[in-house]
Amino acid sequence: MSAVPEAGSVVLAATPIGNVEDASPRLLRLLADADLVAAEDTRRLHALAARAGVAVTGRVVSYHEHNERDRADDLLDVVADGGTVVVVTDAGMPAVSDPGFRLVARAVERGLPVTAAPGPSAVLTALALSGLATDRFTFDGFVPRKAGDRARWLSALTAEPRTMVFFEAPHRIVETLAAMAEAFGPDRPAAVCRELTKVYEEVLRGTVGELADTVADRSATGDALRGEICVVVGGAPAAAAPSVADLVGEVLTRVADGERLKTVVADVATTAGVAKRDLYAAALAARQA
């Protein structure tokens, strides 16, 4: 099967999240051959290229959150003329909590091709190393900075059943973990992953409460977490299904208010997912007791 053509297209290219050896051969070829490289930080791009031993021959422009909307059409004009525009961020996959989304959306509007050179992802790496469920997960980006906004935002996620992945800055991690313990409860399983794929990579696992205490203690003793941090939190546990005995009181209350026993039993049993026959028998026995 032939490769997706790159000439005359936008290519979202993933860059290493720490270890330069994770740079793919395709990324290095794209950096060497692209007509234009749009980089979140041009200095970091050139540093990466130097470490990887590749010469960037095309034009290099900055493309970050403050100019991505205004610069999108300029980049896409290069694509429309048959050129290859490679988009890279400081680390990981463009458009995932990084510039790139608006460019892709505009390319779709203009009917211009977009492809990707996939690679390292802090989100997926943290998820894989967390030890938590990976079959269903959400990425929620950066936690709000202000305490009130953070508390309300986390409160809205308390019933989320999927594993959750967040980004956080080192100077806010103590407050964020404390807020998570308050919102999710101290016993929710979690992991704090920092400096992934780098020399000082570290993954702390435990409950949210334990991690909040550990990170706060380390901060107080001069061993504060540094670097780029991902927090992974287990989803809300499934609520235990009610037993037949738990439902009898509701049935009898509604019957006492004038509803027919069989009608109430059918309604309650269907809603709760229990057998109608068992609930009916239990309700009769309770009435006769």
Side-chain angles (χ1 to χ4, degrees), residues 23-187:
S24 70
R26 185 180 176 197
L27 170 64
L28 301 184
R29 176 178 57 76
L30 284 165
L31 292 180
D33 297 344
D35 297 289
L36 187 150
V37 178
E40 184 178 11
D41 186 322
T42 58
R43 292 169 300 180
R44 291 196 179 189
L45 166 66
H46 287 300
L48 169 64
R51 293 198 307 273
V54 61
V56 180
T57 59
R59 185 160 62 98
V60 176
V61 300
S62 64
Y63 187 66
H64 46 72
E65 61 176 331
H66 301 298
N67 70 4
E68 61 174 323
R69 188 186 300 275
D70 295 335
R71 184 155 281 181
D73 277 312
D74 291 339
L75 301 182
L76 293 174
D77 288 343
V78 175
V79 174
D81 289 337
T84 301
V85 174
V86 174
V87 180
V88 294
T89 60
D90 292 345
M93 192 71 195
V96 180
S97 250
D98 273 325
F101 164 73
R102 290 184 176 87
L103 181 62
V104 172
R106 184 63 181 137
V108 172
E109 290 175 357
R110 291 182 55 172
L112 295 171
V114 181
T115 187
S121 164
V123 175
L124 296 181
T125 303
L127 178 68
L129 294 178
S130 70
L132 300 175
T134 60
D135 54 338
R136 300 180 67 211
F137 68 94
T138 67
F139 171 57
D140 290 285
F142 282 95
V143 178
R145 299 181 181 187
K146 295 183 178 179
D149 293 339
R150 182 169 55 229
R152 287 187 291 272
W153 191 75
L154 291 173
S155 178
L157 297 174
T158 55
E160 171 57 62
R162 295 167 292 185
T163 301
M164 298 170 283
V165 184
F166 307 88
F167 285 162
E168 191 49 285
H171 61 280
R172 292 195 298 270
I173 188 62
V174 172
E175 291 78 7
T176 291
L177 288 174
M180 287 180 171
E182 180 69 23
F184 302 140
D187 296 329

